[in-house]
């Protein structure tokens, strides 16, 4: 009986609770913000554990029907969420406090961290949420279009290919203008050693106040990357895998075999020579078709990537271990890229004052035939030069090696398969960290020591079919070791909640050593062995090299904040480099920045407009040591043939380029004025910057007269200026319980100008050797008043038209022939008529990233654009001039050429024996502007209730899905010129195009 009574009591209690839960009441109230008491419209009120919810009206009022014992979850973006027990009460007014917003987040800056709110410099933060759903494989892909002031160009579309990253323009002529990468405190890192999935945070330092702390290497901007640490607690395992398929973005519109043969015969008829093809041959081409050489060289490419991350730890020690493997075929046949990587980050709190850590990274990169394509030996160029009437293979199944109609050089298929260009890089990076809190409050010592080891191997081979039966091979090996020691003393204190002080003093050293060896074998006796047995050759060439230099640096920086509204930052760095002679070895790089958080003032708060308003300004200097380690010394040329008597020639040594002991640092001064604003309860953020930077003591090569020995000498002369605006807009457009839309738009403008060449010459030609026989002279010109990468050529005026016979005869031309601007009006077209005809550096870049989420479904749409850039389309030039390596015309628009008596308005020259065509002219300068749907990704995350203790997400992505552009080539982004120079860029002569890629991905965490 007792057990029965107890059971009844339990049942009755449960029943009463159920009745209590079922009873409901109408709850009302107002939601306001704590700082101003202003009502919050659109705040979310949700019954905890259910989908029952409402939002506040314009006056912050709400009404909701809930059980008497319900708990209300109140939330609004930018504010701390609250849980309110109803407890049977019918009215609940709620005051929300601002949460630690983006302004409160800690941003990694040089040699320390700061609240974003306290920053006085221009720093772009790229969050992992901005790219985590996208099939990103490298850091440069993260930066493209996602950070204002950063221009990223995938110069080579091959997997693992080169990219050009520029922050606020290019500063140097001789030096590399790539930014400085700092990874986990290691200065000068290779961004290829980072797996994007391992990134915890990424910041871009742009103005001098931010970059001057890196002194001699901060002139081109700084990208700071911090990788993930372990998490204390249970072991967490994450696997990410994806599989992709890629195809060429588009192909050239070319003549088929029938149209090609017809046009070739029409040309022969116009030139008064015998037809190339018979009537029967042309009929056969119409019936049977011919060879589409683009289909021969391009393919559908497959790729795969696997990444795994394991993290965990105990009370004192945490760890993170990750591994990744990527294999990706190129869209050009016989090209591919592989990457292997492993990373281990371990941190341990030895005691309350001492923390130690070690980061170890190992990366291997393997490139096969992915280098930048150049010259007539480029298979893309030859695919537009070889006739579609010529088969790929002969009757024996071998390559047809000679094209009787189209090209003078080798088969595109043979160029792909009878050559090899293999490169491997092995990178090992070890960083040790020690942090010790000293007995003085707020004072700590940070010690960081790093070693970076790079072993690079290069092999190349040219077979019989593409070397006129003179096969050759080459091998090279280099070993680079960099040692870094950073000793930093940090002091951080807050006094009376009014004065905040942060100071750091740094002593840093770096030593660079490089050892290299190379060998080449010509006329290989057994070509089948490729580059594996160089001794079996008739002749050899051997080379070796060794360089060593070091850097010694001192840094002091002081940050001060008064009442969270007045900000001051000052820094000075002194660098000494062994590259320079003793009298110019050291240089000093100061900076100062101020900020005023106006939104902390009552008169701004009373406006009820701004949630945050800050004005900041900075000035500073950075430097560049863009010279080789021995540029101050006289050079000597070895293996120089010398005749001492009539007995023959002897190899000797002669004086080469003279050194310049007076060389000193290039110095870049920069001013920056920035304005930061937030509106609508921090749902809308706008950041605007104006910058102007000037590089003086520019390092340039001056040609010396023969009477002093000739050659070139590097000098500090000249000046380059970059200036522009940056806009970054972040908006939470829609923020509701089930649907959200966040949008991030950034636009950057840069005007680059060569201000002075220091009087060494009125202009300095810059060449590339890309165009081969297509270039009359150097394709670029360096001259005051113009930007870097300014194209040099003739101004094409179209074709001579009927009624202009007399003027045309002055140039030995007839209507239908090419017409060029005669600058000096001397009746002849020569290099004296060359002028600036375009520029290869863009003036504007933009990115627009959108993320939509609906419950567990998310969609990312990312657009990227480039504007104000010209491209020299040598690919079209080679295919539309019937000269140089290509003997005929292959593009379909040749059918729209000038035809006397039929089509006399065309600016495509007629087939004429008097016509002279120059490819180095404005005829082949095209606008390279484009807007590209860079990525669209759809992801679904399964509810946690489906898989216990497991998080599963599936995704589908498309990269480079479509491009809006007027550029006639395959890809307006790709180029034949890598990132090593900014004086020459933008030429497309069969450049490796970017691909359209579709990816399916899996993300699993447990």
């Amino acid at each position: 009986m007792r057990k029965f009574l107890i059971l009844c009591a339990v049942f009755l209690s449960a029943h009463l609770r159920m009745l209590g839960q079922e009873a409901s009441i109408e709850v009302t109230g107002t939601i306001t913000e704590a700082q101003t008491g202003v009502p919050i419209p659109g705040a979310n009120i949700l019954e905890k554990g259910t989908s029952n919810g409402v939002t506040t009206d314009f006056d912050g009022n709400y009404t909701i029907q809930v059980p008497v014992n319900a708990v209300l979850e109140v939330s609004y973006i930018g504010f701390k969420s609250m849980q309110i027990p109803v407890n049977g009460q019918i009215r609940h007014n709620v005051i929300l406090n601002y949460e630690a917003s983006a302004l409160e987040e800690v941003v990694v800056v040089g040699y320390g961290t700061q609240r974003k709110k306290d920053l006085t410099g221009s720093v772009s933060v790229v969050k992992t949420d901005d790219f985590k759903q996208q099939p990103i494989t490298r850091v440069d892909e993260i930066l493209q279009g996602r950070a204002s002031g950063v221009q990223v160009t995938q110069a080579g579309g091959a997997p693992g290919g080169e990219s050009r990253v520029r922050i606020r323009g290019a500063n140097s002529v001789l030096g590399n203008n790539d930014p400085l990468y700092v990874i986990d405190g290691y200065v000068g890192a290779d961004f290829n050693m980072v797996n994007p999935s391992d990134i915890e945070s990424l910041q871009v330092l742009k103005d001098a106040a931010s970059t001057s702390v890196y002194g001699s290497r901060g002139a081109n901007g700084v990208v700071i990357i911090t990788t993930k640490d372990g998490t204390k607690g249970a072991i967490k395992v994450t696997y990410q895998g994806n599989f992709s398929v890629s195809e060429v973005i588009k192909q050239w519109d070319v003549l088929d075999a029938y149209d090609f043969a017809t046009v070739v015969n029409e040309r022969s008829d116009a030139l008064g020579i015998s037809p190339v093809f018979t009537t029967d041959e042309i009929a056969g081409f119409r019936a049977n078709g011919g060879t589409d050489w683009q289909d021969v060289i391009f393919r559908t490419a497959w790729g795969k990537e696997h990444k795994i991350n394991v993290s965990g730890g105990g009370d004192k020690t945490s760890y993170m271990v990750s591994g990744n493997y990527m294999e990706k075929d190129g869209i050009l046949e016989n090209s591919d890229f592989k990457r292997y990587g492993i990373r281990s980050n371990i941190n341990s709190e030895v005691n309350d004052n001492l923390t130690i850590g070690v980061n170890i990274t190992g990366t291997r990169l393997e490139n096969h035939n992915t280098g930048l394509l150049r010259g007539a030996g480029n298979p893309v160029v030859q695919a537009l030069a070889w006739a579609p009437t010529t088969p790929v293979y002969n009757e024996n199944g071998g390559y047809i090696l000679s094209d009787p109609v189209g090209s003078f050089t080798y088969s595109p298929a043979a160029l792909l398969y009878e050559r090899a260009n293999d490169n491997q890089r092995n990178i090992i990076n070890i960083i040790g960290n020690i942090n010790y809190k000293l007995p003085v409050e707020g004072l700590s010592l940070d010690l960081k020591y790093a070693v970076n080891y790079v072993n690079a191997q290069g092999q190349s081979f040219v077979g019989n079919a593409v070397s006129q039966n003179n096969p050759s091979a080459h091998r090279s090996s280099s070993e680079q070791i960099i040692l870094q020691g950073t000793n930093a003393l940090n002091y951080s204190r807050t006094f009376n909640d009014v004065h905040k002080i942060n100071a750091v003093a740094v002593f840093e050293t770096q030593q660079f050593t490089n050892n290299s060896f190379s060998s080449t074998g010509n006329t290989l006796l057994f070509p089948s062995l490729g580059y594996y047995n160089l001794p079996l050759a008739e002749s050899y060439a051997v080379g070796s090299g060794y360089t060593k230099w070091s850097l010694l640096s001192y840094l002091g920086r002081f940050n001060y904040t008064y009442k969270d509204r007045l900000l001051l930052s000052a820094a000075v760095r002194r660098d000494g480099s062994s590259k320079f002679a003793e009298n110019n070895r050291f240089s000093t790089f100061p900076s100062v920045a101020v900020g005023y958080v106006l939104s902390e003032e009552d008169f701004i708060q009373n406006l009820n407009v701004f949630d945050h308003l800050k004005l900041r300004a900075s000035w500073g200097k950075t430097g560049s040591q863009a010279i080789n380690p021995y540029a101050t010394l006289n050079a000597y040329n070895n293996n120089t043939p010398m005749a001492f008597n009539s007995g023959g020639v002897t190899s000797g040594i002669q004086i080469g380029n003279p050194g310049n002991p007076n060389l000193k640092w290039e110095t870049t001064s920069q001013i920056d004025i920035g304005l930061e604003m937030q509106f609508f309860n921090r749902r809308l953020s706008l950041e605007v910057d104006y910058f102007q930077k000037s590089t003086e003591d520019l390092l340039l090569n001056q040609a010396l007269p023969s009477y002093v020995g000739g050659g070139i000498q590097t000098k500090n002369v000249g000046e380059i200026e970059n200036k522009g605006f940056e806009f970054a807009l972040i908006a939470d457009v829609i923020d509701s319980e089930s649907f959200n839309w966040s949008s991030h738009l950034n636009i950057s403008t840069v005007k680059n100008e060569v201000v002075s060449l220091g009087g060494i010459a009125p202009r300095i030609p810059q060449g590339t050797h890309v165009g081969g026989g297509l270039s009359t002279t150097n394709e670029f010109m360096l001259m005051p008043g113009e930007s870097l990468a300014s194209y040099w050529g003739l101004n094409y005026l179209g074709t001579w038209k009927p009624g202009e016979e007399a003027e045309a005869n002055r140039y030995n031309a007839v209507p239908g022939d090419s017409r060029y601007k005669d600058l000096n009006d001397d009746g002849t077209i020569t290099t004296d008529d060359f002028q600036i005809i375009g520029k290869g550096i863009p003036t504007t870049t933009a990115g627009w990233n959108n993320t939509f989420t609906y419950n567990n479904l998310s969609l990312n749409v990312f657009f990227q654009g480039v504007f104000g850039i010209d491209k020299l389309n040598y690919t079209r030039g080679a295919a539309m001039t019937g000269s140089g390596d290509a003997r005929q015309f292959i593009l379909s628009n040749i059918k729209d050429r000038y035809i006397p008596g039929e089509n006399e308005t065309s600016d495509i020259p007629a087939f004429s024996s008097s016509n002279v065509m120059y490819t180095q002219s404005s005829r082949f300068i095209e606008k390279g502007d484009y807007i590209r749907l860079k990525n669209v990704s759809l992801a679904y995350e399964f509810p946690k209730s489906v898989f216990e203790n497991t998080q599963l997400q599936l995704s589908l992505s498309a990269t480079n899905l479509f491009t809006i552009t007027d550029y006639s080539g395959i890809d307006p982004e790709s180029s034949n010129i890598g990132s090593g120079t900014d004086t020459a860029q933008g030429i497309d002569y069969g450049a490796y195009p970017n691909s359209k890629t579709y990816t399916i991905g899996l993300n699993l965490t447990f």
Side-chain angles (χ1 to χ4, degrees):
M1 177 64 69
R2 183 180 179 185
K3 292 182 178 179
F4 176 74
L5 292 174
I6 294 174
L7 182 62
C8 289
V10 171
F11 176 79
L12 181 61
S13 176
H15 184 65
L16 290 173
R17 286 199 303 270
M18 292 176 63
L19 290 175
Q21 288 176 352
E22 291 173 356
S24 64
I25 58 175
E26 185 177 81
V27 179
T28 61
T30 303
I31 311 298
T32 58
E33 59 175 86
Q35 187 175 13
T36 63
V38 174
I40 302 177
N44 297 305
I45 299 91
L46 180 70
E47 179 189 347
K48 185 177 180 180
T50 73
S51 59
N52 177 31
V54 296
T55 59
T56 56
D57 60 19
F58 183 79
D59 296 318
N61 299 317
Y62 73 92
T63 301
I64 185 171
Q65 194 81 20
V66 294
V68 294
N69 292 324
V71 175
L72 300 181
E73 293 181 333
V74 184
S75 63
Y76 189 71
I77 189 168
F79 293 83
K80 294 180 180 179
S81 298
M82 295 183 65
Q83 294 190 4
I84 309 297
V86 174
N87 293 331
Q89 298 181 19
I90 63 172
R91 184 163 185 84
H92 287 275
N93 295 328
V94 182
I95 300 175
L96 293 183
N97 291 288
Y98 284 113
E99 66 179 351
S101 64
L103 296 175
E104 301 295 329
E105 72 177 88
V106 175
V107 176
V108 179
V109 294
Y111 304 98
T113 59
Q114 278 185 280
R115 289 190 310 170
K116 183 170 176 57
K117 184 176 181 179
D118 296 335
L119 287 176
T120 53
S122 181
V123 179
S124 290
V125 179
V126 181
K127 298 180 180 296
T128 56
D129 288 343
D130 293 339
F131 60 87
K132 69 178 182 180
Q133 295 179 5
Q134 304 172 23
I136 297 294
T137 60
R138 302 196 313 188
V139 170
D140 55 322
E141 296 174 9
I142 296 174
L143 293 172
Q144 188 172 36
R146 293 180 179 88
S148 62
V150 182
Q151 177 209 338
V152 180
T153 304
Q154 303 294 337
E162 285 197 44
S163 63
R164 176 183 285 106
V165 180
R166 298 293 179 263
I167 298 176
R168 294 185 168 181
N171 307 311
S172 183
V173 171
L174 297 184
N176 190 308
N177 286 300
D178 286 337
L180 177 71
Y181 294 92
V182 180
I183 301 177
D184 290 334
Y186 170 63
V187 183
D190 183 346
F191 68 76
N192 287 290
M193 62 187 275
V194 180
N195 172 16
S197 297
D198 291 339
I199 294 177
E200 178 69 27
S201 66
L202 187 152
Q203 286 84 25
V204 182
L205 313 184
K206 297 179 294 186
D207 71 321
S210 304
T211 62
S212 65
V213 295
Y214 291 102
S216 63
R217 291 182 291 171
N220 301 320
V222 181
V223 179
I224 299 181
I225 297 171
T226 304
T227 60
K228 296 176 180 177
D229 287 328
T231 54
K232 296 179 181 179
I235 296 176
K236 180 181 178 181
V237 180
T238 300
Y239 166 78
Q240 293 175 282
N242 63 66
F243 298 87
S244 64
V245 58
S246 302
E247 60 187 17
V248 66
I249 292 176
K250 72 172 186 177
Q251 293 190 5
W252 286 95
D253 185 10
V254 297
L255 300 170
D256 60 23
Y258 167 75
D259 285 336
F260 176 81
T262 302
V263 169
V264 168
N265 277 3
E266 290 174 350
R267 184 188 185 201
S268 298
D269 181 62
L271 297 180
I273 59 178
S274 300
V276 176
F277 297 100
T278 66
T279 303
D280 290 341
E281 287 175 326
I282 293 177
F285 293 135
R286 186 168 194 171
N288 304 316
T291 303
D292 188 331
W293 286 102
Q294 292 184 90
D295 286 344
V296 172
I297 65 170
F298 290 119
R299 66 178 176 182
T300 299
W302 298 89
K304 58 186 176 182
E305 186 173 14
H306 303 282
K307 297 178 282 189
I308 190 167
N309 181 295
V310 180
S311 63
D315 294 337
K316 295 292 185 181
T317 301
S318 62
Y319 62 87
M320 188 281 290
V321 179
S322 71
N324 68 90
Y325 168 72
M326 183 178 71
E327 179 180 341
K328 195 169 185 180
D329 294 333
I331 56 174
L332 270 179
E333 292 279 0
N334 198 27
S335 64
D336 60 76
F337 171 72
K338 296 177 182 178
R339 183 183 69 196
Y340 311 79
I342 187 169
R343 176 179 295 275
S344 174
N345 293 353
I346 303 174
N347 292 283
S348 180
E349 299 175 11
V350 178
N351 54 46
D352 292 341
N353 296 321
L354 179 62
T355 302
I356 61 174
V358 61
N359 296 3
I360 302 175
T361 306
T363 306
R364 177 175 172 84
L365 309 171
E366 297 180 358
N367 294 73
H368 173 63
N369 289 347
T370 60
L372 291 168
L373 307 176
R374 293 179 180 273
N378 180 334
V380 178
V381 171
Q382 291 309 312
L384 298 181
W386 272 57
T389 55
T390 303
V392 181
Y393 304 103
N394 57 32
E395 60 275 8
N396 298 321
Y399 295 120
I400 289 180
L401 300 180
S402 177
D403 181 2
V405 180
S407 174
F408 286 106
T409 193
Y410 308 110
S411 160
L415 288 170
L416 285 169
Y417 285 99
E418 292 295 311
R419 298 187 303 179
N421 188 352
D422 297 322
N423 295 280
Q424 304 89 33
R425 276 194 299 160
N426 301 291
I427 307 171
I428 298 175
N429 183 268
I430 303 174
I431 305 172
N433 305 283
I434 300 175
N435 178 270
Y436 183 71
K437 296 178 181 178
L438 296 169
V440 179
E441 183 180 354
L443 189 64
S444 63
L445 178 65
D446 286 307
L447 305 178
K448 191 181 301 290
Y449 299 98
V451 56
N452 193 74
Y453 175 83
V454 181
N455 182 282
Q457 303 290 323
Q459 305 95 14
S460 62
F461 167 74
V462 180
N464 280 316
V466 290
S467 65
Q468 297 182 338
N469 293 315
N470 184 25
S472 63
H474 172 81
R475 294 199 67 163
S476 63
S477 176
S478 68
E479 180 183 69
Q480 181 189 80
I481 299 175
I482 302 177
L483 303 176
Q484 175 184 318
T486 303
N487 308 281
L489 193 62
N490 289 282
Y491 181 70
S492 182
R493 286 286 303 275
T494 300
F495 299 94
N496 301 323
D497 293 326
V498 174
H499 308 280
K500 294 181 181 179
I501 294 176
N502 178 272
V504 62
V506 179
F507 171 69
E508 186 172 74
T509 61
Q510 280 195 318
Q511 179 179 282
F512 305 78
T513 305
N514 191 79
N515 203 340
S516 62
F517 179 83
S518 65
S519 60
T520 301
N522 296 304
T523 313
L524 300 175
L525 301 181
F526 297 97
S528 60
L529 297 176
Y531 47 67
Y532 290 111
N533 202 338
L534 293 183
L536 296 178
E538 291 186 1
S539 62
Y540 316 95
V542 178
S544 63
Y546 177 84
T547 58
K548 183 177 182 180
W549 62 282
S550 57
L551 191 67
L552 176 67
S553 306
Y554 307 90
L555 164 69
R557 183 181 61 205
F558 176 79
N559 297 327
Y560 172 71
T561 302
Y562 175 71
K563 288 187 176 182
D564 284 338
R565 64 191 67 186
L566 298 179
L567 314 172
L568 172 67
S569 179
V572 60
R573 176 162 177 148
R574 186 163 175 80
D575 279 338
S577 173
S578 63
K579 288 184 176 183
F580 298 99
E582 187 173 355
N583 57 325
N584 289 319
R585 185 154 294 168
F586 281 88
S587 190
T588 303
F589 305 100
S591 69
V592 63
V594 294
Y596 185 13
V597 185
L598 293 162
S599 53
E600 293 291 331
E601 301 290 355
D602 292 339
F603 69 91
I604 295 295
Q605 294 177 359
N606 292 336
L607 296 176
N608 291 326
V609 175
F610 300 98
D611 299 313
H612 172 69
L613 178 63
K614 181 169 72 174
L615 180 65
R616 50 179 170 77
S618 67
W619 169 89
K621 289 187 175 183
T622 51
S624 173
Q625 41 180 328
I627 59 173
N628 70 64
Y630 310 109
T632 60
L633 306 176
N634 293 326
Y636 293 88
N637 298 327
N638 58 0
N639 294 325
T640 303
M642 304 292 291
F644 294 99
N645 51 48
S646 59
V649 175
T650 302
S651 294
I653 296 176
Q654 68 175 169
I655 295 177
N657 293 323
N660 183 358
N662 296 317
L663 283 178
K664 57 184 178 181
W665 310 74
E666 286 183 342
T667 301
T668 299
S669 301
Q670 182 177 182
I671 61 170
D672 180 278
I673 301 174
L675 182 64
E676 301 174 13
M677 295 171 282
Q678 288 187 343
F679 309 91
F680 310 122
N681 294 314
R682 305 182 189 272
R683 291 182 60 174
L684 179 65
S685 299
L686 175 64
E687 191 166 340
V688 182
D689 278 88
Y690 170 77
F691 70 90
Q692 181 175 342
K693 60 178 182 176
S694 176
T695 301
E696 299 177 335
D697 295 326
L698 197 66
L699 291 165
L700 292 173
N701 289 327
Q702 180 180 15
L704 300 178
S706 300
Y707 62 80
V708 296
I712 60 173
Q713 186 179 50
T714 304
K715 292 186 175 182
N716 288 103
V717 292
E719 180 181 352
I720 290 178
E721 182 182 73
N722 291 276
K723 57 184 177 182
F725 290 90
E726 297 168 0
F727 304 87
L729 181 68
I730 302 175
D732 291 302
V733 184
I734 299 175
D735 179 43
S736 66
E737 183 62 29
S738 58
F739 180 71
N740 296 274
W741 172 21
S742 63
S743 183
H744 184 179
L745 172 68
N746 70 82
I747 301 173
S748 307
T749 68
V750 178
K751 181 183 179 183
N752 175 273
E753 182 182 350
V754 177
V755 177
S756 169
L757 296 178
I760 64 174
R763 58 177 184 253
I764 302 176
Q766 304 289 309
T768 64
H769 307 292
V770 169
L774 299 179
S775 300
T776 307
T777 182
N778 292 302
E779 304 98 334
F780 298 89
M781 190 62 68
L782 197 66
M783 58 191 299
E786 303 291 343
S787 72
L788 296 175
S790 290
Y791 295 110
W792 187 247
L794 293 170
N795 187 7
Y796 181 67
L797 302 178
T799 56
W800 292 101
K801 300 298 190 295
E804 299 175 334
E805 291 89 346
E807 183 67 13
N809 289 337
R810 185 172 173 228
Y811 297 91
N812 298 317
V814 298
D817 287 351
S818 301
R819 182 180 183 182
Y820 300 94
K821 178 70 173 179
D822 184 5
L823 287 181
N824 55 13
D825 198 29
D826 63 354
T828 59
I829 301 299
T830 66
T831 54
D832 292 336
D833 299 307
F834 276 45
Q835 63 184 84
I836 299 296
I837 55 176
K839 54 185 176 58
I841 294 180
T843 58
T844 306
T845 57
W848 186 28
N849 201 18
N850 297 272
T851 301
F852 306 87
T853 59
Y854 178 72
N855 293 330
N856 293 340
L857 195 65
S858 61
L859 173 68
N860 178 264
V861 182
F862 175 43
F863 292 91
Q864 179 247 343
V866 172
F867 311 94
I869 182 174
D870 300 310
K871 292 183 70 71
L872 180 52
N873 193 345
Y874 266 168
T875 314
R876 183 167 67 93
M880 284 295 291
T881 56
S883 60
D885 179 64
R887 290 178 284 181
Q888 301 293 344
F889 300 78
I890 188 65
L891 298 185
S892 60
N893 57 4
I894 191 62
K895 292 188 291 186
D896 297 326
R897 68 190 180 276
Y898 186 109
I899 300 177
E902 296 183 23
N903 184 19
E904 297 182 332
T905 60
S906 174
D907 282 327
I908 299 176
F911 293 148
S912 166
S913 58
S914 59
N915 183 45
V916 179
M917 288 189 282
Y918 295 91
T919 48
Q920 192 174 340
S921 71
S922 60
R923 179 186 174 191
F924 300 108
I925 292 288
E926 300 183 32
K927 288 296 181 183
D929 300 6
Y930 68 87
I931 298 174
R932 174 167 285 171
L933 179 54
K934 198 67 179 179
N935 179 81
V936 56
S937 296
L938 182 65
Y940 179 75
E941 184 174 319
F942 287 85
K944 294 182 179 179
S945 58
V946 177
F947 303 100
E948 187 176 356
N949 298 322
T950 301
Q951 181 180 341
L952 175 63
Q953 184 186 74
L954 297 177
S955 63
L956 293 172
S957 302
T959 304
N960 299 331
L961 191 59
F962 69 80
T963 304
I964 302 173
T965 183
D966 291 332
Y967 184 62
S968 67
I970 295 177
D971 181 17
E973 187 175 3
S974 60
S975 169
N976 294 81
I977 304 171
S979 62
T981 178
D982 284 87
T983 60
Q985 58 176 290
I987 292 181
D988 181 359
Y989 189 32
Y992 201 127
N994 286 279
S995 60
K996 186 184 300 182
T997 302
Y998 304 92
T999 304
I1000 181 171
L1002 167 69
N1003 191 321
L1004 181 64
T1005 301
F1006 54 89

